[in-house]
Amino acid sequence: MRQFFAAFALFVLGAGAHADSYQKYYQPEYEVTITNVTQSLQFTPILVATHRRAISFFELGEPASEGLALLAEGGAIDPLAAELTATGKVIDANNSSTVLGDPPLLFAGDSVTLKVKGRNRGAVLSLAAMLLPTNDSFVALNSVKLPKYGKRVYYALGYDAGSEPNDEYCMNIPGPTCMGTGPSPDEGGEGFVHVSNGIHGGADLKPSVYDWRNPVAKVVVRRVR
């Protein structure tokens, strides 16, 4: 009888290991192609993540997290990535900084493709990058479905983190257009994430050049394995 239970335990352990190996080998993989469809905006490094539905990059009408505010004001992706990873709900993440070269910006009309892995069940995809030149606007997809096969096409909007005043002064806007400062801690703003209302020409930026209408990006998510 002891031999039977020992053999059964080995069978269960072996089956579990086989299941883990099977899941790892057959883990779905996706190509995510992001195209900047604006007239003249640039996207800072784009953070792409697959994750459980229990978390999200942001909630409309709610204050931006510190990580999202730093991304929206200065293009930093590490703080938001760290926030998400700390939840234990991230499946995989990638970013465009090494693909785009120097500077790692996605210019108007250009595309970039990144690969991420998912799960067979319960996985969604999000992405975000700062819009330049703006004070604290960003392009994003927030917890969208992954294709079971083939591809899905999404059109991403421009959002405002609500963490910084939209003064449109170049001294408060980073990037090649303005060469200003990014994050502005404690400067205030609208106080909640909302759909961005673009550039109005209140200071250094001309609406005829830098204003936009949504969407700002086309995103094609294709399952490749």
Side-chain angles (χ1 to χ4, degrees):
M1 183 65 71
R2 289 181 180 176
Q3 290 178 340
F4 169 79
F5 281 116
F8 181 73
L10 287 172
F11 171 77
V12 171
L13 289 172
H18 178 73
D20 290 341
S21 176
Y22 181 89
Q23 171 65 25
K24 183 177 181 180
Y25 183 79
Y26 289 100
Q27 190 175 20
E29 189 172 281
Y30 304 90
E31 285 184 347
V32 183
T33 300
I34 305 108
T35 302
N36 180 342
V37 299
T38 70
Q39 170 186 287
S40 56
L41 300 182
Q42 305 110 45
F43 301 169
T44 60
I46 305 161
L47 175 63
V48 178
T50 52
H51 55 89
R52 296 285 195 174
R53 288 187 177 276
I55 62 171
S56 62
F57 276 26
F58 61 91
E59 294 289 340
L60 284 171
E62 298 293 330
S65 69
E66 181 179 357
L68 180 64
L70 289 171
L71 179 146
E73 294 178 22
I77 56 177
D78 288 346
L80 179 58
E83 284 181 357
L84 298 167
T85 301
T87 67
K89 306 294 184 183
V90 173
I91 299 164
D92 194 19
N94 200 352
N95 71 82
S96 63
S97 60
T98 58
V99 179
L100 292 174
D102 187 21
L105 302 176
L106 187 67
F107 290 89
D110 289 346
S111 300
V112 65
T113 298
L114 302 173
K115 285 188 176 182
V116 287
K117 295 180 179 179
R119 303 179 66 103
N120 288 322
R121 292 184 180 180
V124 291
L125 179 137
S126 297
L127 64 82
M130 182 184 184
L131 294 176
L132 292 174
T134 71
N135 289 99
D136 62 338
S137 289
F138 62 101
V139 55
L141 288 179
N142 199 27
S143 302
V144 300
K145 291 182 177 180
L146 290 160
K148 292 182 178 179
Y149 53 88
K151 68 180 182 180
R152 283 180 177 266
V153 179
Y154 294 100
Y155 292 91
L157 307 185
Y159 297 93
D160 191 308
S163 56
E164 183 177 81
N166 296 321
D167 59 24
E168 298 182 16
Y169 284 109
C170 267
M171 64 181 180
N172 296 322
I173 299 173
T177 302
C178 282
M179 303 296 290
T181 302
S184 302
D186 304 319
E187 287 297 323
E190 297 82 9
F192 60 94
V193 181
H194 54 281
V195 176
S196 179
N197 60 3
I199 300 297
H200 296 277
D204 298 328
L205 301 177
K206 293 182 179 180
S208 60
V209 178
Y210 298 110
D211 194 22
W212 72 87
R213 297 294 179 270
N214 280 316
V216 296
K218 178 181 178 181
V219 182
V220 179
V221 185
R222 185 187 306 274
R223 181 166 178 173
V224 294
R225 190 179 74 184

